[in-house]
């Protein structure tokens, strides 16, 4: 979908991947937030704390939501609020 519909969606996909990595890594590095572990999986990253499926969940949910909200043709501020929901 992202490849067929132009650069906007490819950049969105890349931004969502960066967001996912940032959220997960910050939550591991900051002591007040470092209070959870994911279950062990076949492919683990970042010191056996980050399973591959978590890295793939962020783009799956956020990309689908962003694509659906974009199709609603809302005003820019409303689009941001709708995506947050």
């Amino acid at each position: 979908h992202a490849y067929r519909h132009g650069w906007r969606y490819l950049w969105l996909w890349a931004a969502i991947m960066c967001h996912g990595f940032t959220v997960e890594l910050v939550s591991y590095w900051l002591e007040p937030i470092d209070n959870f572990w994911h279950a062990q999986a076949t492919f683990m990253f970042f010191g056996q704390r980050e399973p591959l499926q978590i890295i793939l969940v962020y783009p799956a949910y956020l990309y689908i939501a962003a694509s659906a909200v974009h199709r609603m043709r809302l005003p820019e501020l409303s689009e941001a609020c709708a995506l947050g929901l």
Side-chain angles (χ1 to χ4, degrees):
H1 182 265
Y3 184 74
R4 288 181 303 168
H5 287 87
W7 287 101
R8 177 184 190 273
Y9 291 105
L10 289 173
W11 283 111
L12 175 63
W13 189 265
I16 292 172
M17 289 294 290
C18 290
H19 165 73
F21 279 117
T22 302
V23 167
E24 290 291 321
L25 292 178
V26 165
S27 68
Y28 296 152
W29 290 335
L30 293 178
E31 193 64 35
I33 307 174
D34 187 21
N35 61 0
F36 68 93
W37 288 75
H38 294 292
Q40 294 296 304
T42 304
F43 298 105
M44 297 292 291
F45 302 100
F46 309 121
Q48 299 297 315
R49 294 199 57 188
E50 181 70 19
L52 179 63
Q53 67 263 24
I54 297 300
I55 295 172
L56 299 177
V57 164
Y58 278 106
Y61 287 128
L62 292 175
Y63 183 83
I64 291 169
S67 298
V69 167
H70 179 69
R71 289 177 185 253
M72 296 170 76
R73 307 264 188 239
L74 298 172
E76 192 169 321
L77 182 59
S78 299
E79 187 174 312
C81 294
L83 182 56
L85 293 174

